[in-house]
Each structure stands twice: as structure tokens, then as C-alpha cells.
Amino acid sequence: LEDFSLLTHAVPANRVKKHLPEGFELETFDDTAVVSVGAFHFRSLRPTLLPIPLLDFHQITYRTYVRYKGRRGVYLFAAFASSTAGYWLLKANSPIVQRGSFEVERKTGGEGYERYSVQVESAQGQTRFELQASERPHAQEPFGSANELTQFLTHRLHGFMPSWAGGHVNQQVRH
């Protein structure tokens, strides 16, 4: 996983809860939920049990932070993949995955990105964002440190999304 960016928004919890399936508990802070857009590049990805060639592709996901059956994770509302092979690999698990045409520009500097720009076009429409993050995140309430905030947002061991069978896929993440 390379070129990871996470654009995060605080949203009133009641606006997010109504989009979660039954059984998912939205993680909140003073009745505020966190919704993120994550953009990243998979390099040399190979699913553990499939003897397929290594895959390289960009992906963007829309997510919120949840607990499900005691497990902390993210619930994915949508995901887009840049390559046909990456799309089919992800689409096999969930109907939320779409194929997209990606334009990614990045310029690194300091401890982050002087510029990180992503534009994705798909049958669903267009997404575009640009960010500058040339320093590490700062601590924000209710987190005691920037590291604690970063861990909350990025160290999730479960990615949940709707499955084709009507239940949910639990995509385990290995760091």
C-alpha cells in the first residue's frame, strides 16, 4: 500500500447512522461521527489464497468508523478501483465496488505531501479532491495525541461492506 491519503470530516451522527445496516454500532464523539475518503495505491497486491499475478491499482473508498460484533473496523459505503483486474478482484466480494478512471498527482516534501490530487470518473459520477499535508496531524479532542488520532483513523483490522449474498463481507486487514 503506497501513496495513502485520508480526507476526514466530522458529521452529525444521525446523518450517518441511518446508512448503516442493523447490528453496526457507529463510533461517535459527542454525537459526532467521522466519515473519510481514503485514496491509495496497491502495489504488488496478491490475495493470500489465489495464484494470480501481482496487481497494481489505485483505489478510493468512502468509509465511517464502526464496531460490529465486538470488532473495530470501517464500514465502506463505496469503493472504486483503477484497473480491470483490481476491480474484478474487489467486485467479486461486494456490489459497492465500481470501476473508475483515475488521475493521481502527488508531490512529496517534508513529512507529507506538498500536493496530493485525485480525480476519479466512473458511471456513478466524478470525485475530485486535492490536499496539502506537509506536517504530521495535530492532536484533537477527544484524542490525547496526534499518534492516538492517527491510530484511530488508520489502524482498523476489519473492513466491512455489503456482500452479494445480502450479508456483509469482513475484509481483514493485515498491517
Side-chain angles (χ1 to χ4, degrees):
L1 191 65
E2 295 179 0
D3 299 336
F4 182 75
S5 70
L6 196 62
L7 187 60
T8 303
H9 298 276
V11 179
N14 62 350
R15 291 183 59 196
V16 179
K17 282 181 188 176
K18 63 185 175 186
H19 298 287
L20 291 176
E22 190 174 324
F24 283 86
E25 176 189 346
L26 183 64
E27 292 196 87
T28 61
F29 307 97
D30 297 327
D31 210 29
T32 299
V34 177
V35 176
S36 298
V37 178
F40 42 91
H41 188 173
F42 279 116
R43 276 213 203 276
S44 302
L45 174 71
R46 176 180 286 148
T48 308
L49 300 176
L50 295 177
I52 62 174
L54 298 176
L55 300 176
D56 285 354
F57 62 95
H58 291 280
Q59 184 177 1
I60 191 168
T61 61
Y62 296 85
R63 60 181 76 188
T64 194
Y65 300 83
V66 298
R67 289 183 187 268
Y68 182 68
K69 297 185 178 180
R71 299 182 197 125
R72 290 181 86 182
V74 293
Y75 185 84
L76 301 179
F77 297 112
F80 297 84
S82 66
S83 77
T84 301
Y87 163 76
W88 284 112
L89 176 69
L90 300 171
K91 187 74 169 183
N93 290 316
S94 178
I96 68 163
V97 178
Q98 300 295 319
R99 173 79 163 86
S101 171
F102 281 62
E103 286 185 33
V104 178
E105 296 178 34
R106 67 175 182 78
K107 181 178 179 186
T108 58
E111 292 190 17
Y113 298 107
E114 288 182 18
R115 182 170 189 270
Y116 190 110
S117 168
V118 176
Q119 181 171 316
V120 180
E121 291 189 35
S122 74
Q124 300 295 317
Q126 184 182 72
T127 295
R128 178 171 168 45
F129 71 85
E130 184 174 326
L131 60 88
Q132 293 176 332
S134 57
E135 56 187 60
R136 298 189 63 75
H138 302 285
Q140 297 180 15
E141 290 291 330
F143 303 100
S145 70
N147 190 48
E148 189 179 332
L149 169 62
T150 300
Q151 287 292 310
F152 174 81
L153 293 173
T154 62
H155 195 76
R156 296 293 170 140
L157 299 179
H158 300 276
F160 302 104
M161 60 187 132
S163 74
W164 287 102
H168 299 96
V169 174
N170 176 5
Q171 186 76 40
Q172 292 193 301
V173 178
R174 290 173 178 78
H175 292 278

